[in-house]
């Protein structure tokens, strides 16, 4: 059951990340390539974007190939790491977020963009994690 919940959360998160253009494009491409036949068979009528194709694949998870399932697991690991890094960044940068970005809406990378814009004025710990996270998202 735990693995099912992890996969469910990962698919949801992957759908959000890929749909918004965040995350690792190479991992997203890996899922699309590994699941190509499943996408054609089960999801050909689904309009791509905003995680709809991944949601469709998840709806057919009992019918997908081992290769496709492994690709989902790989992207789940990437997303877990990204969420950990984002959570750490929010915790470390809370004072800087309040000071420099309190009027910035959460989501779509706006907080990270705000912090990056004022990086020279950030506390050293926050500046370091902003640089690290910005680098990870650029790869």
């Amino acid at each position: 059951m735990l693995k099912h919940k992890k996969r469910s959360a990962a698919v949801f998160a992957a759908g959000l990340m890929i749909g918004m253009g965040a995350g690792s494009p190479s991992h997203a491409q890996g899922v699309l390539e590994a699941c190509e036949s499943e996408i054609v068979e089960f999801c050909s009528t689904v309009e791509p974007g905003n995680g709809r194709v991944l949601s469709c694949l998840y709806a057919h998870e009992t019918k997908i190939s081992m290769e496709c399932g492994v690709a989902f697991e790989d992207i789940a690991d990437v997303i877990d790491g990204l969420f950990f890094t984002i959570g750490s960044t929010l915790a470390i940068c809370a004072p800087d977020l309040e000071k420099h970005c309190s009027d910035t809406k959460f989501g779509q990378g706006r907080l990270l963009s705000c912090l990056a814009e004022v990086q020279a004025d950030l506390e050293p710990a926050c500046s370091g994690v902003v640089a690290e996270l910005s680098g990870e998202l650029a790869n």
Side-chain angles (χ1 to χ4, degrees):
M1 184 68 170
L2 182 59
K3 188 172 186 171
H4 175 73
K5 285 184 179 182
K6 180 179 178 183
R7 182 180 278 184
S8 175
V11 170
F12 175 73
L16 290 176
M17 305 284 289
I18 292 169
M20 295 185 313
S24 172
S26 63
H27 283 92
Q29 187 62 36
V31 169
L32 296 177
E33 289 172 4
C35 302
E36 184 176 4
S37 64
E38 288 88 345
I39 293 169
V40 170
E41 183 175 353
F42 304 119
C43 308
S44 61
T45 60
V46 174
E47 181 181 344
N50 295 320
R52 288 185 287 267
V53 172
L54 290 175
S55 295
C56 175
L57 287 172
Y58 180 69
H60 295 91
E61 75 171 324
T62 60
K63 302 171 195 165
I64 64 175
S65 68
M66 179 69 84
E67 181 183 11
C68 181
V70 168
F72 269 102
E73 294 295 325
D74 289 346
I75 202 166
D77 290 342
V78 170
I79 292 168
D80 284 347
L82 185 60
F83 283 160
F84 176 79
T85 303
I86 291 169
S88 297
T89 301
L90 291 174
I92 292 168
C93 294
D96 285 309
L97 284 165
E98 182 64 32
K99 182 177 180 180
H100 301 289
C101 305
S102 61
D103 293 335
T104 304
K105 291 183 180 181
F106 184 84
Q108 298 181 336
R110 288 186 285 258
L111 290 176
L112 180 59
S113 294
C114 176
L115 290 172
E117 288 172 11
V118 295
Q119 191 165 359
D121 299 326
L122 300 177
E123 294 295 321
C126 180
S127 179
V129 295
V130 167
E132 181 181 336
L133 185 56
S134 296
E136 287 180 23
L137 291 174
N139 290 331

